Amino acid sequence: MDHDDNSSTLFTELFTEQGPLARAIDGFKPRAAQVEMATAVGQALDDKVPLVVEAGTGTGKTYAYLAPVLAAGKKVVLSTGSRNLQEQLFHRDLPTLVKAMNYHHPVALLKGRSNYLCLERLGLLNDSVPMLSAEGLADLQRVRRFVPMTHSGDIGDIPGLAERSEVLPLVTSTNDNCLGRDCSHYQDCYLVKARNKAMEAQVVVVNHHLFFADMAVRDTGFGQLIPDADAYILDEAHQLPEIAGQYFGQSQSSKQVLELARDLRLAQKVEAKDMAQLGKAADQLERHVQDLRLTFGHDSSRGQLRPMLARAEVAQAMVRLNESLAFTYEVLKLALGRGEQLDHCFERLVGLRTQLDSVTRVEEDGYSYWFDCTRLHVSFHKTPLSVAERFSVELAKDEVSWVFTSATLAVGDSFAHFCADLGLSKCRTLQLDSPFDYSRQSRLCVPRYLPETNAAGRGRWLAESLADTLNAVPGGSFFLCTSYKVMNEVAEVLRIRLDRTVLVQGEDNKVRLLERFGQDGRAVLVATSSFWEGIDVRGNALQCVVIDKLPFSAPDDPLLSARLEDCRRRGEDGFARVQLPKAIITLKQGVGRLIRDVQDKGVLVITDGRLVNRAYGADFINSLPAMPRTRSLQQLAEFLSTLE
């Protein structure tokens, strides 16, 4: 008990008005919830009982877990939901606390391999540059100019390089094409340096994708990507079950086959100019994998893999692809020993054949087999229906502390859904409400006379009926949609009806769209799910959030239908166990965009009648902040007229 009192006193002192944080941070104000969370994190670090904390917006959860971590002086891995949040944590929040707490141990930022330049791949481009557009060639020059100036090799630091530039796969490595210790650039490799730095650091900041990629690598018995630690703090933890599923399953994409064909051509030109057969094998591979993609239709789509593989034209294309892979195998076998790149291509080919076999043998229980088609590629996936069993093995490790936190983990006041998904059978839970005064700062409106959620032209109807409300908002608005179709309908109407800037997701990259939105001050941003999370717009720039309908996963989502089928087999209610909790947590994320500060005021409009006329509507309402509710757009307009 004494220790708890000591750590509680320590954190209370840290967070007081005269404490080190207040001295180091402008405008810092102590918050009771922040101290409560910091004390709970300190206890978890000490007694190793996993802690699950839902910290409402404005609690100050980042400092609440960073302060005890730095005070404990342990080796800690901090993982968060995206690269943007990772950067923010490492470049903004962590340095502030390191300085405030006079922390002297090394800290490190580690990203996934695709974020670092590969010197070997860049060197290959000196001998042979594949066909690139003018834009691609300009990007390649940008990369080459950047190399002498960088220490980290982080491609995010290259000025003017587009997020999806066509040169990126040529100048970064993948698990497939990395030569590892055989590489002549191993000593200078940016990724190796970043990993070594992380191994030596006391605090390492990673993201969830890298966190689970590391677990998957450890499962194979070949090394690790991030260091062992005394404690793991997982922020934005509501994303964990879904991301874990991607890494504990298997995937195979036509893109991997195309990249192998391309690298095979490059290797042949450098290491085996006399072996024309290699070029032929690469051409054949490319042709047959593209034929396979075409058998899935021209549009982007996703669905169950089993019925697709049973179709005659898909089955035939698979036979041809497998024959091509076998032919390439025989030809490459003859080239073994001619050079590192060719030898490596052979290893990749063996891996691809094994994986393709695994993801297309669709009989194994406990997995969902599904496909995902983009304009250019098709991917096959084998995803476990539950990650609880695998993750509980990690939780059982001795002498390790676990902290899971997010603004959205609970459904109502229950953490049962989250804990069951991750196999957390024994843990402490803590729910901290937001310190914001929602009754004064906000209103929630579910308008009357709404069309059915699947009605044709619904987006246009909503935009027409809400145009006057949006025009009455003194600041800016988000219009968040659950489909691209509705997003485009809404944007089209609002651009005609509103005399203010209407920004649309996809017309520029996310960072620039948000910059323009913030600078404009009264714009309307129409977007889909990627703007529901991790967006922090404070002040008058965002005073209204419209959500077109409750965010239930699409009924044709193959993973969802497999999970529902699994629930049916076990006699559980799939809607209550899977669909409803997930939709509630997603809605909480969307709602969380609105009030980000004590001074913020705004309105939330949810245009889905199910919130009021279905029994489960109450489950959603009970999980949202206590906003005064109305069904009248007129009353909403009156509240808006009081805003600045």
Side-chain angles (χ1 to χ4, degrees):
M1 191 64 215
D2 285 346
H3 183 89
D4 279 1
D5 289 347
N6 292 343
S7 63
S8 181
T9 311
L10 167 70
F11 300 130
T12 313
E13 283 168 8
L14 266 176
F15 290 100
T16 55
E17 280 183 36
Q18 283 78 43
L21 299 188
R23 287 198 296 274
I25 302 158
D26 282 347
F28 178 85
K29 288 190 178 67
R31 305 170 203 179
Q34 197 172 38
V35 176
E36 194 179 342
M37 177 170 168
T39 306
V41 171
Q43 189 181 355
L45 291 173
D46 187 46
D47 68 13
K48 318 284 186 295
V49 176
L51 173 68
V52 178
V53 189
E54 179 177 271
T57 315
T59 311
K61 69 176 160 64
T62 310
Y63 288 172
Y65 64 69
L66 281 179
V69 158
L70 300 186
K74 295 187 172 194
K75 176 104 176 176
V76 179
V77 169
L78 303 172
S79 183
T80 188
S82 67
R83 284 197 305 255
N84 285 353
L85 290 166
Q86 202 184 348
E87 298 261 352
Q88 187 180 308
L89 191 57
F90 186 77
H91 293 297
R92 193 182 77 186
D93 303 328
L94 194 54
T96 308
L97 274 190
V98 161
K99 186 173 159 216
M101 295 177 67
N102 206 12
Y103 184 79
H104 293 300
H105 300 290
V107 297
L109 175 71
L110 182 61
K111 299 182 184 178
R113 128 191 331 277
S114 62
N115 293 280
Y116 299 97
L117 279 178
C118 170
L119 296 168
E120 168 73 13
R121 312 249 323 137
L122 199 53
L124 283 177
L125 295 179
N126 294 336
D127 298 312
S128 163
V129 178
M131 290 295 287
L132 288 172
S133 64
E135 183 94 349
L137 287 167
D139 280 347
L140 186 53
Q141 286 311 107
R142 284 191 181 96
V143 172
R144 284 186 166 142
R145 280 201 300 274
F146 173 73
V147 175
M149 303 183 300
T150 181
H151 292 295
S152 69
D154 188 332
I155 56 166
D157 298 339
I158 303 177
L161 188 69
E163 260 177 74
R164 299 191 185 283
S165 166
E166 64 185 300
V167 303
L168 287 178
L170 299 172
V171 297
T172 58
S173 68
T174 63
N175 249 341
D176 289 340
N177 61 31
C178 172
L179 299 175
R181 288 181 185 278
D182 297 335
C183 179
S184 55
H185 297 279
Y186 186 78
Q187 296 303 321
D188 303 314
C189 174
Y190 296 118
L191 177 64
V192 171
K193 283 182 187 168
R195 283 184 183 162
N196 289 342
K197 209 170 164 190
M199 292 294 169
E200 286 156 24
Q202 195 72 349
V203 176
V204 185
V205 181
V206 301
N207 60 55
H208 298 336
H209 285 273
L210 183 58
F211 179 78
F212 286 114
D214 172 63
M215 270 193 207
V217 166
R218 288 172 190 245
D219 282 352
T220 65
F222 291 103
Q224 59 189 90
L225 307 178
I226 58 180
D228 292 320
D230 303 318
Y232 295 91
I233 315 274
L234 299 133
D235 199 347
E236 301 295 317
H238 61 281
Q239 298 176 6
L240 294 173
E242 202 150 308
I243 297 173
Q246 295 168 27
Y247 287 91
F248 295 156
Q250 286 182 306
S251 293
Q252 173 81 77
S253 167
S254 59
K255 188 179 177 189
Q256 288 169 277
V257 181
L258 289 171
E259 283 175 349
L260 175 64
R262 186 193 61 208
D263 291 346
L264 193 49
R265 277 195 208 96
L266 275 174
Q268 189 247 333
K269 283 175 186 158
V270 178
E271 295 176 346
K273 288 192 174 71
D274 55 325
M275 286 191 71
Q277 283 286 76
L278 283 171
K280 275 190 194 146
D283 293 343
Q284 198 184 72
L285 261 187
E286 204 167 67
R287 192 168 63 250
H288 287 159
V289 80
Q290 283 167 340
D291 288 348
L292 176 67
R293 164 65 192 88
L294 289 173
T295 62
F296 281 75
H298 290 284
D299 298 330
S300 296
S301 62
R302 55 201 305 215
Q304 299 288 358
L305 185 57
R306 195 180 278 113
M308 285 306 285
L309 292 178
R311 286 189 184 181
E313 67 274 25
V314 177
Q316 226 170 345
M318 283 296 298
V319 167
R320 278 198 298 271
L321 176 60
N322 277 315
E323 284 171 353
S324 261
L325 289 164
F327 172 62
T328 310
Y329 176 84
E330 293 304 331
V331 176
L332 254 177
K333 210 156 70 168
L334 299 173
L336 280 176
R338 296 282 300 263
E340 273 175 16
Q341 293 292 340
L342 284 169
D343 287 359
H344 198 64
C345 283
F346 182 75
E347 284 170 34
R348 282 165 68 186
L349 177 67
V350 172
L352 280 179
R353 291 178 80 189
T354 310
Q355 216 168 354
L356 185 61
D357 181 52
S358 173
V359 294
T360 52
R361 254 193 281 147
V362 289
E363 290 78 40
E364 209 177 328
D365 274 348
Y367 291 90
S368 166
Y369 292 87
W370 54 287
F371 71 87
D372 187 10
C373 260
T374 59
R375 201 168 54 81
L376 298 175
H377 303 294
V378 61
S379 308
F380 296 166
H381 306 274
K382 173 186 176 182
T383 308
L385 297 177
S386 165
V387 297
E389 200 178 317
R390 171 65 188 81
F391 200 75
S392 61
V393 174
E394 295 299 314
L395 296 168
K397 285 183 179 166
D398 286 341
E399 295 307 305
V400 174
S401 303
W402 293 89
V403 175
F404 303 88
T405 183
S406 166
T408 56
L409 288 177
V411 175
D413 57 5
S414 165
F415 289 92
H417 172 71
F418 176 76
C419 291
D421 277 356
L422 280 188
L424 274 157
S425 51
K426 178 181 175 243
C427 62
R428 268 192 218 104
T429 60
L430 176 63
Q431 192 168 21
L432 299 166
D433 290 336
S434 167
F436 302 146
D437 180 358
Y438 285 96
S439 61
R440 182 182 61 81
Q441 291 176 254
S442 65
R443 293 292 180 273
L444 163 61
C445 177
V446 181
R448 293 189 181 92
Y449 318 120
L450 291 164
E452 287 297 312
T453 50
N454 56 358
R458 188 173 187 271
R460 280 189 291 278
W461 190 95
L462 292 177
E464 287 287 355
S465 63
L466 291 174
D468 291 342
T469 303
L470 292 169
N471 255 333
V473 179
S477 304
F478 272 6
F479 203 124
L480 299 176
C481 306
T482 45
S483 77
Y484 286 100
K485 185 171 180 291
V486 171
M487 178 184 86
N488 292 325
E489 285 181 10
V490 166
E492 195 183 323
V493 172
L494 292 184
R495 283 191 161 151
I496 297 162
R497 288 288 314 270
L498 300 184
D499 54 352
R500 51 177 80 196
T501 308
V502 176
L503 302 167
V504 184
Q505 178 186 334
E507 292 183 351
D508 203 342
N509 81 20
K510 196 170 172 179
V511 175
R512 279 196 292 269
L513 274 178
L514 284 168
E515 268 173 19
R516 286 171 62 194
F517 179 81
Q519 284 160 4
D520 184 287
R522 55 194 298 276
V524 177
L525 173 64
V526 189
T528 67
S529 57
S530 65
F531 280 80
W532 287 59
E533 286 200 28
I535 307 284
D536 189 4
V537 180
R538 288 164 193 246
N540 299 350
L542 182 57
Q543 292 184 326
C544 170
V545 172
V546 180
I547 290 177
D548 80 317
K549 63 177 177 182
L550 297 175
F552 287 108
S553 296
D556 61 352
D557 177 340
L559 202 48
L560 174 68
S561 50
R563 284 191 178 130
L564 293 178
E565 179 56 41
D566 192 51
C567 282
R568 269 195 295 277
R569 276 207 297 270
R570 290 202 306 254
E572 291 179 359
D573 176 354
F575 179 75
R577 169 73 186 86
V578 179
Q579 283 169 291
L580 187 60
K582 194 164 181 284
I584 287 173
I585 282 170
T586 306
L587 183 69
K588 283 170 76 168
Q589 277 292 330
V591 170
R593 298 313 104 218
L594 182 62
I595 306 291
R596 307 293 298 174
D597 208 342
V598 187
Q599 309 303 327
D600 284 1
K601 285 188 171 184
V603 299
L604 171 68
V605 183
I606 302 178
T607 54
D608 190 333
R610 294 176 295 182
L611 205 55
V612 249
N613 58 31
R614 292 285 170 86
Y616 60 71
D619 295 321
F620 282 97
I621 297 282
N622 294 339
S623 293
L624 295 180
M627 298 178 170
R629 302 197 293 275
T630 176
R631 300 215 62 191
S632 153
L633 288 174
Q634 179 53 44
Q635 278 187 2
L636 208 61
E638 286 163 20
F639 179 77
L640 285 169
S641 68
T642 68
L643 306 187
E644 291 158 14

